[in-house]
Amino acid sequence: MKSKDISGQAPGGERTKLADVLPLKTPFVIQVFPIYACNFKCNYCIFSIDESKRGFISDKIIMDFDLYKKFIDDLAEFPNKIKVLRFVGIGEPLLHKNIIEMIEYAVLKNVANVIELLTNGSLLTPEKSDALIKVGLTRMVVSIQGTTAEKYKKTSGIDLDFEKFINNLKYFYENKKDAQIYIKIVDTALDNKEDEKRFYDIFGEVCDTIAIEHTVPIHHGIDYENVLTKGGEVTQFGLPVSEVKICPQPFFTMQINPDGKIVPCYSFEYPNIVGDCNNESMKDIWDGDKFQNFRRKMLDGIKDVCDTCKECSIITYRLFPEDDLSDDAERLKEFYEN
């Protein structure tokens, strides 16, 4: 196998102990949510349930390119470069007609150390791969949903030309230059140990890093009883589940939605909208009273912030030990007082 297996590890590599570097003048990670649409309906994802049951997501389906450019220009106001600019959100980024231009603009403006694209890979073609590589994509993360076309149909409800899919991934890998490709699959998309071996045999030859992650119960409205294989006993990355007293996400990240609204975490049920990039700068939002007050309240405990935070399970299943702020909450409060 050509790739390195990073199962059970943080996909981005070694993490900084968050409490030691707060408060941040520049966020570590900014997520770009370019389009609220997906060509898959995976049985563990929000797209498998009716849109009417998903709650508020965005006032717009597709992010305007002019708004996107304004957002990228705003990032230059931060004192440091963003560590990771990630194209993801709720949907498939490759569905956005301007995704190549978006990545190119971010590269030209030099606002991030890493520009990352999360995708199901089904829309990848040699031409699109050439374009992504040419404009300077740093890393592509591909989520796999099975080792056969039949499994894709069962898990995601789509008809996939599996051989063509593999060949398209192989093309990217063989022509990627400095770009990296990380391929992952959730355990529920694998049938048994033999299927696990098949996953490594097929995809381990067309990527730099590879992993098996775990399906976790993070979306309300989805019946996970017949989906989960480990019963929610481990995190997405295979670590033991522990109680989360303080959500660390608002302290190091934020996300811009297709309508320009800024949210403080990766939750699909927003605890707060802390700003609007249409009429505020990203730096002003990051440093603003609304965001600061939200962080300060979080330091008193996740259960007292709001009902959304109290009921959220995302950070429970995605927490890394380096992000635990529990022991430093009292010391950190002074930095987030008005």
Side-chain angles (χ1 to χ4, degrees):
M1 185 172 73
K2 296 178 181 177
S3 61
K4 177 183 178 182
D5 188 358
I6 59 170
S7 299
Q9 303 174 38
E14 186 177 353
R15 298 177 71 84
T16 300
K17 182 171 170 48
L18 185 61
D20 291 347
V21 294
L22 293 181
L24 296 178
K25 296 297 184 183
T26 303
F28 282 164
V29 180
I30 292 185
Q31 292 203 155
V32 186
F33 174 9
I35 186 166
Y36 176 36
C38 191
N39 56 332
F40 283 17
K41 291 186 177 181
C42 299
N43 57 17
Y44 55 85
C45 177
I46 194 172
F47 279 99
S48 67
I49 64 177
D50 189 82
E51 187 174 348
S52 64
K53 298 179 181 179
R54 299 176 198 165
F56 174 74
I57 301 294
S58 175
D59 287 324
K60 299 188 69 171
I61 300 297
I62 302 170
M63 181 180 288
D64 292 335
F65 191 45
D66 285 343
L67 171 62
Y68 170 79
K69 289 194 291 185
K70 188 265 182 188
F71 150 71
I72 292 295
D73 291 344
D74 282 354
L75 299 188
E77 298 177 4
F78 284 108
N80 302 304
K81 289 168 67 173
I82 309 301
K83 285 191 173 185
V84 179
L85 181 66
R86 178 181 296 142
F87 290 84
V88 55
I90 307 171
E92 170 51 56
L94 289 179
L95 285 171
H96 198 295
K97 67 177 183 178
N98 298 119
I99 191 65
I100 303 297
E101 292 89 343
M102 286 177 156
I103 293 170
E104 180 179 33
Y105 194 75
V107 172
L108 290 173
K109 291 295 182 176
N110 195 30
V111 294
N113 294 325
V114 172
I115 297 179
E116 183 175 83
L117 172 72
L118 273 66
T119 175
N120 61 41
S122 65
L123 300 176
L124 202 64
T125 62
E127 294 76 20
K128 192 157 286 185
S129 289
D130 287 339
L132 289 168
I133 294 163
K134 181 180 179 181
V135 299
L137 180 69
T138 311
R139 181 166 61 222
M140 183 169 70
V141 179
V142 183
S143 295
I144 302 300
Q145 308 304 328
T147 61
T148 64
E150 292 75 20
K151 192 58 182 280
Y152 263 82
K153 183 69 173 180
K154 181 180 179 181
T155 301
S156 306
I158 59 109
D159 294 309
L160 182 74
D161 185 331
F162 195 73
E163 183 176 354
K164 184 178 180 181
F165 175 62
I166 301 302
N167 286 336
N168 285 337
L169 292 175
K170 182 179 180 181
Y171 182 89
F172 184 95
Y173 179 68
E174 292 179 345
N175 294 276
K176 66 186 181 65
K177 298 179 182 177
D178 293 331
Q180 296 284 300
I181 177 170
Y182 167 45
I183 289 181
K184 61 177 183 171
I185 193 170
V186 288
D187 52 357
T188 55
L190 296 169
D191 295 329
N192 46 43
K193 285 293 182 180
E194 183 180 342
D195 202 20
E196 183 178 314
K197 182 179 182 303
R198 177 177 168 80
F199 165 69
Y200 283 117
D201 288 345
I202 295 172
F203 296 100
E205 299 300 312
V206 294
C207 62
D208 300 286
T209 50
I210 192 169
I212 297 175
E213 296 183 355
H214 300 275
T215 304
V216 289
I218 59 174
H219 301 307
H220 293 143
I222 296 176
D223 183 3
Y224 285 98
E225 185 175 349
N226 297 318
V227 176
L228 299 180
T229 58
K230 291 194 177 290
E233 297 172 359
V234 298
T235 70
Q236 178 180 335
F237 307 103
L239 301 174
V241 171
S242 58
E243 181 185 5
V244 178
K245 297 179 180 179
I246 298 168
C247 180
Q249 291 180 357
F251 297 88
F252 71 86
T253 189
M254 59 178 171
Q255 175 176 288
I256 179 170
N257 288 354
D259 54 8
K261 301 292 194 306
I262 306 299
V263 294
C265 60
Y266 305 152
S267 173
F268 291 178
E269 296 167 335
Y270 309 139
N272 207 324
I273 293 174
V274 294
D276 188 339
C277 187
N278 287 283
N279 47 51
E280 300 173 84
S281 78
M282 293 295 288
K283 186 176 185 301
D284 286 347
I285 295 170
W286 179 256
D287 294 332
D289 288 345
K290 196 166 187 180
F291 212 157
Q292 291 290 78
N293 290 340
F294 184 80
R295 296 183 186 110
R296 173 61 184 82
K297 198 170 184 180
M298 181 62 72
L299 289 171
D300 286 330
I302 195 170
K303 294 180 179 179
D304 295 323
V305 177
C306 63
D307 288 342
T308 299
C309 291
K310 183 178 180 180
E311 297 172 7
C312 179
S313 61
I314 286 182
I315 192 59
T316 300
Y317 292 102
R318 290 184 179 172
L319 184 71
F320 291 100
E322 297 88 347
D323 297 341
D324 189 348
L325 300 178
S326 302
D327 294 339
D328 296 89
E330 290 302 317
R331 175 180 63 83
L332 292 171
K333 285 180 180 179
E334 66 175 287
F335 297 116
Y336 299 99
E337 300 283 4
N338 277 333

